[in-house]
């Protein structure tokens, strides 16, 4: 079993998202690509995560921050899919 897990790591079973610090970079890159976003509450602040292709943006902001509003408006105007939670493929169907 340990060999199988190691082999999966080598063949790319774990996919990565490359994070960018500047929202404008992701906004420009997005074009007409389909994207996803997620809102999380963390210690009284809001964390927003946006993923388009292999690029992602992650930011902690207060609920009234201009950047948060801009990012949310962008996601809604592009009709990005809001993700509520994550689950492993093998656990989805029982």
């Amino acid at each position: 079993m340990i060999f199988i897990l190691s082999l999966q790591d080598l063949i790319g079973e774990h996919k990565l998202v490359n994070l960018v610090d500047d929202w404008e970079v992701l906004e420009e890159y997005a074009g007409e690509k389909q994207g996803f976003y997620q809102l999380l509450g963390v210690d009284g602040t809001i964390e927003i995560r946006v993923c388009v292709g292999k690029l992602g943006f992650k930011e902690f902001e207060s609920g009234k921050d201009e950047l948060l509003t801009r990012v949310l408006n962008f996601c809604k105007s592009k009709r990005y899919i809001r993700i509520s939670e994550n689950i492993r493929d093998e656990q989805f169907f029982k």
Side-chain angles (χ1 to χ4, degrees):
M1 186 68 165
I2 294 173
F3 174 74
I4 293 171
L5 291 175
S6 299
L7 182 59
Q8 286 177 342
D9 287 342
L10 291 174
I11 60 174
E13 281 293 314
H14 302 285
K15 297 178 180 163
L16 299 176
V17 174
N18 299 304
L19 296 178
V20 295
D21 292 331
D22 185 356
W23 168 250
E24 283 140 6
V25 170
L26 189 102
E27 195 172 33
E28 185 176 322
Y29 169 78
E32 297 301 316
K33 297 175 184 74
Q34 178 62 58
F36 304 90
Y37 72 102
Q38 185 176 39
L39 290 172
L40 302 168
V42 180
D43 296 328
T45 62
I46 294 175
E47 178 180 359
I48 186 164
R49 297 179 182 192
V50 181
C51 183
V52 180
K54 296 256 183 199
L55 289 185
F57 178 79
K58 185 172 86 166
E59 187 75 22
F60 290 96
E61 299 293 341
S62 69
K64 296 181 180 180
D65 187 273
E66 288 180 29
L67 180 59
L68 176 64
T69 303
R70 179 178 167 185
V71 172
L72 278 173
N73 287 338
F74 178 84
C75 291
K76 289 176 183 177
S77 72
K78 292 285 193 171
R79 301 184 63 158
Y80 283 6
I81 298 169
R82 183 172 176 182
I83 304 298
S84 60
E85 64 181 293
N86 305 57
I87 187 168
R88 295 180 62 93
D89 289 349
E90 63 269 11
Q91 294 176 342
F92 187 71
F93 290 112
K94 295 190 181 220

